[in-house]
Amino acid sequence: MDRPERRVVRELVGAHGRTYAEEAGIGLRDTPQPLYRLLVLSHLLSARIRGSIALAAARALHEAGLRDPRRMARASWQERVDALGRGGYRRYDERTATQLGDAAELLTERWGGDLRRLRREADGKVPELRRLLQEFPGIGPAGADIFLREAQGVWPEAAPYLDAKALQGAERLNLPGDPERLTELAGDTDPAVLAAALVRAAVDKEVAQDTLRRAG
């Protein structure tokens, strides 16, 4: 017999199981450029701004050619501001343009432009990964959580990474607050997909209400 909680998870993932990286056009792999683009996306999503605007800004930066740390660092401040503006990211564009340049320089100088080196420095320890990510200007606790939620599919030592925001979505759906139990309910669903779906339920009450209605 299909358990109610399992039905809720199945309906949620079926309708909203798309990572934010995928929505931003990032084919996430454990290689330097996709990981860098995810870092930028995490930075943009962590601001107090609509997710759709952050996603549009991430795509605009990519279209402007600012898709790796060396190009981001070499670009002028105005070029970064203009790209963010084309994505609608205007409220925080000037500060964010500065932070993106500084973060790109740090990544290039300390880790050779390759976030896999940061991963190796953390030596499989998730709290250390989270701490190191927060050394980038503009990446605070929320940005580090976003990065690890999305990266857990390619950095499996982080899985299951269901942070406070994902667990807030679980609470809205009357689901357990234990990450291990949630991943068990999700079966073979990629934990990054589960995390993204739960976050969508957390940030949009209609997602949660519609999921519960369809799960019956």
Side-chain angles (χ1 to χ4, degrees), residues 18-96:
R18 188 183 187 197
T19 66
Y20 286 89
E22 182 184 356
E23 192 170 346
I26 302 170
L28 193 58
R29 299 183 303 281
D30 188 27
T31 54
Q33 190 176 113
L35 290 170
Y36 175 67
R37 291 183 63 198
L38 176 60
L39 183 71
V40 171
L41 176 63
S42 302
H43 182 162
L44 299 175
L45 283 168
S46 65
R48 294 179 181 275
I49 200 162
R50 286 203 311 274
S52 59
I53 293 176
L55 288 160
R59 288 191 290 266
L61 287 166
H62 182 262
E63 288 162 5
L66 308 182
R67 59 194 66 169
D68 64 60
R70 289 178 177 82
R71 291 176 184 176
M72 184 71 79
R74 282 202 305 263
S76 70
W77 177 82
Q78 191 61 54
E79 285 174 322
R80 294 192 292 267
V81 168
D82 290 347
L84 290 166
R86 287 193 293 275
Y89 204 89
R90 295 188 176 87
R91 184 177 174 189
Y92 302 102
D93 56 350
E94 295 187 356
R95 182 181 68 181
T96 300

Side-chain angles (χ1 to χ4, degrees), residues 8 12 16 26 74 89 113-114 119 121 135 140 161 184 196 208:
V8 170
L12 175 70
H16 304 285
I26 302 170
R74 282 202 305 263
Y89 204 89
D114 188 346
R119 180 190 184 189
E121 185 175 325
E135 294 198 13
Y161 198 90
E184 179 188 333

Side-chain angles (χ1 to χ4, degrees), residues 98-116:
T98 299
Q99 290 173 334
L100 287 172
D102 292 344
E105 288 181 6
L106 174 62
L107 178 55
T108 301
E109 291 168 6
R110 182 166 172 185
W111 292 290
D114 188 346
L115 283 162
R116 294 174 301 178

Side-chain angles (χ1 to χ4, degrees), residues 134-211:
Q134 291 179 67
E135 294 198 13
F136 291 110
I139 298 285
D145 284 339
I146 292 167
F147 183 92
L148 291 170
R149 280 199 318 252
E150 296 276 315
Q152 63 185 313
V154 294
W155 288 5
E157 69 271 24
Y161 198 90
L162 300 178
D163 66 330
K165 182 61 72 175
L167 295 179
Q168 182 184 330
E171 183 179 4
R172 265 195 175 168
L173 293 162
N174 304 315
L175 292 170
D178 175 58
E180 297 287 350
R181 180 72 184 118
L182 287 166
T183 54
E184 179 188 333
L185 289 169
D188 61 359
T189 299
D190 183 330
V193 169
L194 172 63
L198 288 169
V199 168
R200 293 178 198 280
V203 300
D204 188 341
K205 190 181 295 184
E206 290 184 8
V207 167
Q209 291 173 341
D210 181 60
T211 298

